[in-house]
Amino acid sequence: MTPFFRSWATSKFMDHAHAVKKISCGDCHGGFFPEERASDENCLKCHKSHQHMAQLTKNVKPNPHDSHLGEIRCTICHKAHEKSVYYCNQCHTFDSKLSGTGK
């Protein structure tokens, strides 16, 4: 657990961005000692809905939250304890920036 807590407390990743906002491990993972990745259900408690996120990123071209793949799991792109990835670049080449990339 120590590396995860250290990352949450000090990293350049998304987990630290949540820590700054006083969001605990349990808020995302459903327990203080998480055994599973964060669920979309827990993400959307704060981030409202996939449609809401698509609206917030409507000026990003292409809009990563309005994908032809539909509503994909948040953690496909957004990684909490490591550099996030732009899943669309598995097939495409886009130069979009993700929050929590560790850059």
Side-chain angles (χ1 to χ4, degrees), residues 1-29 32 80-81:
M1 285 300 300
T2 300
F4 294 108
F5 178 76
R6 189 172 293 131
S7 178
W8 177 82
T10 64
S11 78
K12 294 180 181 179
F13 302 130
M14 194 170 60
D15 56 350
H16 182 65
H18 284 84
V20 168
K21 294 186 180 215
K22 304 202 183 320
I23 298 168
S24 73
C25 302
D27 292 327
C28 295
H29 294 279
F32 185 74
H81 306 286

Side-chain angles (χ1 to χ4, degrees), residues 22-86:
K22 304 202 183 320
I23 298 168
S24 73
C25 302
D27 292 327
C28 295
H29 294 279
F32 185 74
F33 292 106
E35 295 184 20
E36 297 191 26
R37 77 177 82 204
S39 67
D40 273 8
E41 179 180 274
N42 285 342
C43 295
L44 297 177
K45 285 179 182 175
C46 295
H47 298 284
K48 300 184 183 176
S49 69
H50 291 278
Q51 296 81 12
H52 175 75
M53 295 308 299
Q55 183 61 28
L56 290 177
T57 56
K58 68 182 178 187
N59 293 326
V60 177
K61 302 296 180 210
N63 187 338
H65 297 106
D66 188 18
S67 168
H68 63 89
L69 298 174
E71 295 178 357
I72 62 172
R73 192 174 67 241
C74 303
T75 57
I76 292 289
C77 295
H78 300 282
K79 310 294 181 186
H81 306 286
E82 61 190 85
K83 184 177 176 182
S84 291
V85 297
Y86 197 49

